[in-house]
Amino acid sequence: MTPELILPHDGVLPVFSARPVWCGRGSTVIGAAAIGAQAWLGDDSVIRADGEAVTVGERFWLGHRSTLHIATDSHPTLVGDRVTVGRNAVVHACTVGSDVVIEDDVIVLDGATVEDGVLIEAGATVFPRSHLAAGFAYAGSPAKPQRPITAAEIAERAERVREATGDTPSPVAGDEIDVDPSVYVASTARLRGRIALGAGSSVLFSCDLHAEVGPILVGADTNIQDNTVIRARAEGVVIGRDTTIAHNVRMADCRIGARSLIGIGCVLAPGTVVADDVLLAGGSTTDPGQLLESGHLWGGRPARILGPLDADKRAMMTRIVAGYCEHGRVYRQMETGEN
């Protein structure tokens, strides 16, 4: 059994030490990924090694709609043996030891180190460059140690996560969306309803965009990254140009301005308005109708102003947009054969 979609990056294809024991529909593995024996890859799971390596040990379990990714030219992702990742989780540009359980909706961010024998409880966020010592259960945002944990409990929680995964409903087929030739929509993404994608924009692997009532309008050169779910159940969703919507974001009926970045795993409540030039930190949430004013770094649950959007952050956001424009061009060419 192999993933539904396997793509190279810079001419490098993923390497599997043995065929995975399961690959769900929409599962995707890209680039310089090395996957150990007895891997289990859930529906819409994504492993993307397109700029650094992803190395995964034996008996790895990646739950439905979860994402492993790297930070281009700075951080690989290294995962040990017997690691279990639940549903809708993100393991990003970090190091994870062996015998670790990462439960549903967890986010592990860039430069973090998780030692052996750790439990990260559902909904936690491991902040960048954090160090999670062995033998503890962690929870919260930021993730903090709650209590010591034994190897037996780690094994029990791993089994519980795996049993809870179960089968997911068969997805409704996406609609044919008329897009500009410069737009990239991954073959594993699903788009339904009135959706307009600006020139140079991209919708990455296993994203799910559904314009149920209102439209979804995406600006030029904006990127919507793996496993993001967008719903337009009322007035619709508008996302400005040159904006990044990172992995596993969930939003409904929002307005996002230009040149903004919505971080990994954020959840935006209906009616949220994000002004131009905003950075919302990974793992953050908003309240219904909340306004995020321009020129600030926001973060927290719910989001609050953490500081100014300085020149370094603006430059980083610009680099991400440019990088994803290039990713979109390359992936479009690989999937369609077009130049």
PDB file of all heavy atoms in Angstrom, residues 81-85 96-102 114-120 154 158:
ATOM      1  N   ASP A  81      11.007   6.316  16.988  1.00  0.00           N
ATOM      2  CA  ASP A  81      10.219   5.095  16.815  1.00  0.00           C
ATOM      3  C   ASP A  81       8.983   5.114  17.714  1.00  0.00           C
ATOM      4  O   ASP A  81       8.974   5.729  18.784  1.00  0.00           O
ATOM      5  CB  ASP A  81      11.065   3.871  17.184  1.00  0.00           C
ATOM      6  CG  ASP A  81      12.253   3.674  16.261  1.00  0.00           C
ATOM      7  OD1 ASP A  81      12.157   4.045  15.073  1.00  0.00           O
ATOM      8  OD2 ASP A  81      13.287   3.152  16.733  1.00  0.00           O
ATOM      9  N   ARG A  82       7.950   4.420  17.244  1.00  0.00           N
ATOM     10  CA  ARG A  82       6.731   4.193  18.036  1.00  0.00           C
ATOM     11  C   ARG A  82       6.092   5.513  18.483  1.00  0.00           C
ATOM     12  O   ARG A  82       5.701   5.678  19.638  1.00  0.00           O
ATOM     13  CB  ARG A  82       7.029   3.295  19.244  1.00  0.00           C
ATOM     14  CG  ARG A  82       7.560   1.913  18.856  1.00  0.00           C
ATOM     15  CD  ARG A  82       7.993   1.115  20.067  1.00  0.00           C
ATOM     16  NE  ARG A  82       9.054   1.799  20.812  1.00  0.00           N
ATOM     17  CZ  ARG A  82      10.346   1.793  20.465  1.00  0.00           C
ATOM     18  NH1 ARG A  82      10.747   1.126  19.384  1.00  0.00           N
ATOM     19  NH2 ARG A  82      11.237   2.444  21.189  1.00  0.00           N
ATOM     20  N   VAL A  83       5.979   6.425  17.547  1.00  0.00           N
ATOM     21  CA  VAL A  83       5.338   7.720  17.813  1.00  0.00           C
ATOM     22  C   VAL A  83       3.926   7.691  17.243  1.00  0.00           C
ATOM     23  O   VAL A  83       3.705   7.257  16.110  1.00  0.00           O
ATOM     24  CB  VAL A  83       6.147   8.875  17.202  1.00  0.00           C
ATOM     25  CG1 VAL A  83       5.373  10.193  17.284  1.00  0.00           C
ATOM     26  CG2 VAL A  83       7.487   9.003  17.925  1.00  0.00           C
ATOM     27  N   THR A  84       2.978   8.147  18.046  1.00  0.00           N
ATOM     28  CA  THR A  84       1.571   8.200  17.649  1.00  0.00           C
ATOM     29  C   THR A  84       1.127   9.653  17.602  1.00  0.00           C
ATOM     30  O   THR A  84       1.275  10.387  18.584  1.00  0.00           O
ATOM     31  CB  THR A  84       0.693   7.429  18.649  1.00  0.00           C
ATOM     32  OG1 THR A  84       1.086   6.051  18.654  1.00  0.00           O
ATOM     33  CG2 THR A  84      -0.777   7.533  18.277  1.00  0.00           C
ATOM     34  N   VAL A  85       0.590  10.067  16.459  1.00  0.00           N
ATOM     35  CA  VAL A  85       0.065  11.420  16.277  1.00  0.00           C
ATOM     36  C   VAL A  85      -1.427  11.299  15.987  1.00  0.00           C
ATOM     37  O   VAL A  85      -1.834  10.574  15.075  1.00  0.00           O
ATOM     38  CB  VAL A  85       0.776  12.146  15.117  1.00  0.00           C
ATOM     39  CG1 VAL A  85       0.200  13.552  14.936  1.00  0.00           C
ATOM     40  CG2 VAL A  85       2.281  12.212  15.369  1.00  0.00           C
ATOM     41  N   VAL A  96      11.205  15.011  17.650  1.00  0.00           N
ATOM     42  CA  VAL A  96      10.344  14.236  18.544  1.00  0.00           C
ATOM     43  C   VAL A  96      11.033  12.902  18.811  1.00  0.00           C
ATOM     44  O   VAL A  96      11.432  12.200  17.874  1.00  0.00           O
ATOM     45  CB  VAL A  96       8.954  14.006  17.916  1.00  0.00           C
ATOM     46  CG1 VAL A  96       8.085  13.134  18.820  1.00  0.00           C
ATOM     47  CG2 VAL A  96       8.269  15.339  17.633  1.00  0.00           C
ATOM     48  N   GLY A  97      11.177  12.543  20.069  1.00  0.00           N
ATOM     49  CA  GLY A  97      11.838  11.304  20.431  1.00  0.00           C
ATOM     50  C   GLY A  97      10.977  10.080  20.188  1.00  0.00           C
ATOM     51  O   GLY A  97       9.956  10.130  19.491  1.00  0.00           O
ATOM     52  N   SER A  98      11.356   8.969  20.786  1.00  0.00           N
ATOM     53  CA  SER A  98      10.626   7.713  20.643  1.00  0.00           C
ATOM     54  C   SER A  98       9.595   7.553  21.757  1.00  0.00           C
ATOM     55  O   SER A  98       9.697   8.186  22.814  1.00  0.00           O
ATOM     56  CB  SER A  98      11.604   6.535  20.672  1.00  0.00           C
ATOM     57  OG  SER A  98      12.480   6.577  19.560  1.00  0.00           O
ATOM     58  N   ASP A  99       8.597   6.709  21.490  1.00  0.00           N
ATOM     59  CA  ASP A  99       7.551   6.408  22.475  1.00  0.00           C
ATOM     60  C   ASP A  99       6.870   7.683  22.959  1.00  0.00           C
ATOM     61  O   ASP A  99       6.706   7.923  24.159  1.00  0.00           O
ATOM     62  CB  ASP A  99       8.136   5.621  23.650  1.00  0.00           C
ATOM     63  CG  ASP A  99       8.753   4.307  23.197  1.00  0.00           C
ATOM     64  OD1 ASP A  99       8.024   3.477  22.630  1.00  0.00           O
ATOM     65  OD2 ASP A  99       9.977   4.133  23.368  1.00  0.00           O
ATOM     66  N   VAL A 100       6.455   8.492  21.992  1.00  0.00           N
ATOM     67  CA  VAL A 100       5.775   9.762  22.256  1.00  0.00           C
ATOM     68  C   VAL A 100       4.356   9.667  21.719  1.00  0.00           C
ATOM     69  O   VAL A 100       4.120   9.097  20.647  1.00  0.00           O
ATOM     70  CB  VAL A 100       6.526  10.937  21.599  1.00  0.00           C
ATOM     71  CG1 VAL A 100       5.713  12.227  21.663  1.00  0.00           C
ATOM     72  CG2 VAL A 100       7.886  11.130  22.263  1.00  0.00           C
ATOM     73  N   VAL A 101       3.405  10.234  22.457  1.00  0.00           N
ATOM     74  CA  VAL A 101       2.018  10.321  22.013  1.00  0.00           C
ATOM     75  C   VAL A 101       1.649  11.799  21.888  1.00  0.00           C
ATOM     76  O   VAL A 101       1.757  12.561  22.856  1.00  0.00           O
ATOM     77  CB  VAL A 101       1.054   9.619  22.983  1.00  0.00           C
ATOM     78  CG1 VAL A 101      -0.396   9.794  22.522  1.00  0.00           C
ATOM     79  CG2 VAL A 101       1.397   8.140  23.101  1.00  0.00           C
ATOM     80  N   ILE A 102       1.218  12.181  20.691  1.00  0.00           N
ATOM     81  CA  ILE A 102       0.779  13.541  20.388  1.00  0.00           C
ATOM     82  C   ILE A 102      -0.703  13.431  20.053  1.00  0.00           C
ATOM     83  O   ILE A 102      -1.071  12.904  19.006  1.00  0.00           O
ATOM     84  CB  ILE A 102       1.588  14.125  19.215  1.00  0.00           C
ATOM     85  CG1 ILE A 102       3.070  14.222  19.595  1.00  0.00           C
ATOM     86  CG2 ILE A 102       1.043  15.480  18.791  1.00  0.00           C
ATOM     87  CD1 ILE A 102       3.991  14.567  18.436  1.00  0.00           C
ATOM     88  N   VAL A 114      11.093  17.347  21.742  1.00  0.00           N
ATOM     89  CA  VAL A 114      10.275  16.507  22.618  1.00  0.00           C
ATOM     90  C   VAL A 114      11.076  15.242  22.890  1.00  0.00           C
ATOM     91  O   VAL A 114      11.375  14.477  21.975  1.00  0.00           O
ATOM     92  CB  VAL A 114       8.926  16.164  21.950  1.00  0.00           C
ATOM     93  CG1 VAL A 114       8.087  15.279  22.873  1.00  0.00           C
ATOM     94  CG2 VAL A 114       8.171  17.432  21.571  1.00  0.00           C
ATOM     95  N   GLU A 115      11.443  15.024  24.141  1.00  0.00           N
ATOM     96  CA  GLU A 115      12.256  13.858  24.481  1.00  0.00           C
ATOM     97  C   GLU A 115      11.413  12.577  24.465  1.00  0.00           C
ATOM     98  O   GLU A 115      10.197  12.605  24.274  1.00  0.00           O
ATOM     99  CB  GLU A 115      12.914  14.064  25.847  1.00  0.00           C
ATOM    100  CG  GLU A 115      13.952  15.180  25.858  1.00  0.00           C
ATOM    101  CD  GLU A 115      14.720  15.250  27.169  1.00  0.00           C
ATOM    102  OE1 GLU A 115      14.350  14.534  28.132  1.00  0.00           O
ATOM    103  OE2 GLU A 115      15.689  16.026  27.238  1.00  0.00           O
ATOM    104  N   ASP A 116      12.082  11.440  24.698  1.00  0.00           N
ATOM    105  CA  ASP A 116      11.407  10.145  24.708  1.00  0.00           C
ATOM    106  C   ASP A 116      10.361  10.084  25.828  1.00  0.00           C
ATOM    107  O   ASP A 116      10.508  10.725  26.881  1.00  0.00           O
ATOM    108  CB  ASP A 116      12.412   9.016  24.948  1.00  0.00           C
ATOM    109  CG  ASP A 116      13.456   8.894  23.855  1.00  0.00           C
ATOM    110  OD1 ASP A 116      13.272   9.495  22.778  1.00  0.00           O
ATOM    111  OD2 ASP A 116      14.457   8.192  24.086  1.00  0.00           O
ATOM    112  N   GLY A 117       9.329   9.265  25.597  1.00  0.00           N
ATOM    113  CA  GLY A 117       8.385   8.964  26.662  1.00  0.00           C
ATOM    114  C   GLY A 117       7.582  10.152  27.134  1.00  0.00           C
ATOM    115  O   GLY A 117       7.434  10.386  28.337  1.00  0.00           O
ATOM    116  N   VAL A 118       7.021  10.908  26.189  1.00  0.00           N
ATOM    117  CA  VAL A 118       6.241  12.111  26.509  1.00  0.00           C
ATOM    118  C   VAL A 118       4.827  11.946  25.971  1.00  0.00           C
ATOM    119  O   VAL A 118       4.622  11.394  24.883  1.00  0.00           O
ATOM    120  CB  VAL A 118       6.907  13.369  25.905  1.00  0.00           C
ATOM    121  CG1 VAL A 118       5.943  14.554  25.850  1.00  0.00           C
ATOM    122  CG2 VAL A 118       8.150  13.741  26.702  1.00  0.00           C
ATOM    123  N   LEU A 119       3.854  12.433  26.729  1.00  0.00           N
ATOM    124  CA  LEU A 119       2.472  12.558  26.277  1.00  0.00           C
ATOM    125  C   LEU A 119       2.146  14.037  26.145  1.00  0.00           C
ATOM    126  O   LEU A 119       2.336  14.805  27.100  1.00  0.00           O
ATOM    127  CB  LEU A 119       1.515  11.910  27.278  1.00  0.00           C
ATOM    128  CG  LEU A 119       0.022  12.238  27.107  1.00  0.00           C
ATOM    129  CD1 LEU A 119      -0.524  11.642  25.812  1.00  0.00           C
ATOM    130  CD2 LEU A 119      -0.781  11.747  28.310  1.00  0.00           C
ATOM    131  N   ILE A 120       1.652  14.450  24.969  1.00  0.00           N
ATOM    132  CA  ILE A 120       1.164  15.816  24.772  1.00  0.00           C
ATOM    133  C   ILE A 120      -0.341  15.717  24.591  1.00  0.00           C
ATOM    134  O   ILE A 120      -0.827  15.138  23.616  1.00  0.00           O
ATOM    135  CB  ILE A 120       1.830  16.497  23.563  1.00  0.00           C
ATOM    136  CG1 ILE A 120       3.357  16.402  23.662  1.00  0.00           C
ATOM    137  CG2 ILE A 120       1.399  17.955  23.482  1.00  0.00           C
ATOM    138  CD1 ILE A 120       4.088  16.956  22.449  1.00  0.00           C
ATOM    139  N   ILE A 154       1.888   5.625  28.680  1.00  0.00           N
ATOM    140  CA  ILE A 154       2.172   6.077  27.313  1.00  0.00           C
ATOM    141  C   ILE A 154       1.613   5.071  26.311  1.00  0.00           C
ATOM    142  O   ILE A 154       0.934   5.431  25.337  1.00  0.00           O
ATOM    143  CB  ILE A 154       3.691   6.253  27.101  1.00  0.00           C
ATOM    144  CG1 ILE A 154       4.208   7.482  27.854  1.00  0.00           C
ATOM    145  CG2 ILE A 154       4.025   6.349  25.616  1.00  0.00           C
ATOM    146  CD1 ILE A 154       3.972   8.789  27.173  1.00  0.00           C
ATOM    147  N   ALA A 158      -1.407   5.730  23.632  1.00  0.00           N
ATOM    148  CA  ALA A 158      -1.173   5.518  22.201  1.00  0.00           C
ATOM    149  C   ALA A 158      -2.256   4.620  21.619  1.00  0.00           C
ATOM    150  O   ALA A 158      -2.818   4.902  20.547  1.00  0.00           O
ATOM    151  CB  ALA A 158       0.206   4.917  21.972  1.00  0.00           C
TER     152      ALA A 158
END
